[in-house]
Amino acid sequence: MRIRDLESDYGQQLFKLQKEAYKVEAEMIGFADIPPLLETYEQFIHCHETFLCYLKGDALAGAISYTKENGQMLICRMIVHPDYFRQGIADALLHALQLHVDWEKISVSTGKMNLPARKKRIHP
């Protein structure tokens, strides 16, 4: 789903989900200035990222976003609702992304204190 398609209920749900998930991360790593926490809804819907979403029933449980250019993919956001932490949703989203997108090189950035994200490895 492209972000421009998210100027709907899904856009609002994703934006709310992002705030909830990154708030927990900010508390965990002791850093409140995580860019998605500072982002406005207007900035969010104009970010030019593609999102893959994970639903549990009717609930939006998680999402991953990326950009792709010249065979290089950049993972921009990994978002999991706090109620669904430690249930394999991030792994499932990464796996779906690998199946969904052709890429030669993949990059992701995260804070140095985000140990769970730093331990994650992605293989083609």
Side-chain angles (χ1 to χ4, degrees), residues 18-19 22 31-40 43 77:
Q18 170 178 282
K19 296 294 184 183
Y22 283 113
F31 182 72
D33 291 335
I34 297 172
L37 280 177
L38 305 175
E39 189 173 50
T40 67
Q43 291 168 323
R77 306 164 203 250

Side-chain angles (χ1 to χ4, degrees), residues 83-94:
D83 289 348
Y84 298 103
F85 281 2
R86 306 287 183 249
Q87 295 183 25
I89 291 173
D91 285 339
L93 285 164
L94 287 168

Side-chain angles (χ1 to χ4, degrees), residues 24-32 34 111-116:
V24 172
E25 180 179 334
E27 291 170 2
M28 180 180 74
I29 65 174
F31 182 72
I34 297 172
K112 67 181 178 179
M113 299 301 292
N114 187 342
L115 299 180

Side-chain angles (χ1 to χ4, degrees), residues 39-108:
E39 189 173 50
T40 67
Y41 182 67
E42 246 342 270
Q43 291 168 323
F44 177 71
I45 64 171
H46 292 100
C47 71
H48 304 292
E49 298 165 22
T50 301
F51 284 76
L52 296 176
C53 297
Y54 187 105
L55 301 174
K56 276 219 165 190
D58 291 335
L60 179 59
I64 190 170
S65 75
Y66 67 92
T67 59
K68 185 178 173 215
E69 187 174 321
N70 301 324
Q72 296 187 25
M73 180 173 40
L74 171 65
I75 295 176
C76 305
R77 306 164 203 250
M78 172 64 73
I79 311 165
V80 177
H81 190 284
D83 289 348
Y84 298 103
F85 281 2
R86 306 287 183 249
Q87 295 183 25
I89 291 173
D91 285 339
L93 285 164
L94 287 168
H95 182 70
L97 187 62
Q98 287 179 284
L99 296 175
H100 179 74
V101 181
D102 290 328
W103 48 275
E104 296 169 18
K105 181 179 178 184
I106 189 167
S107 300
V108 64

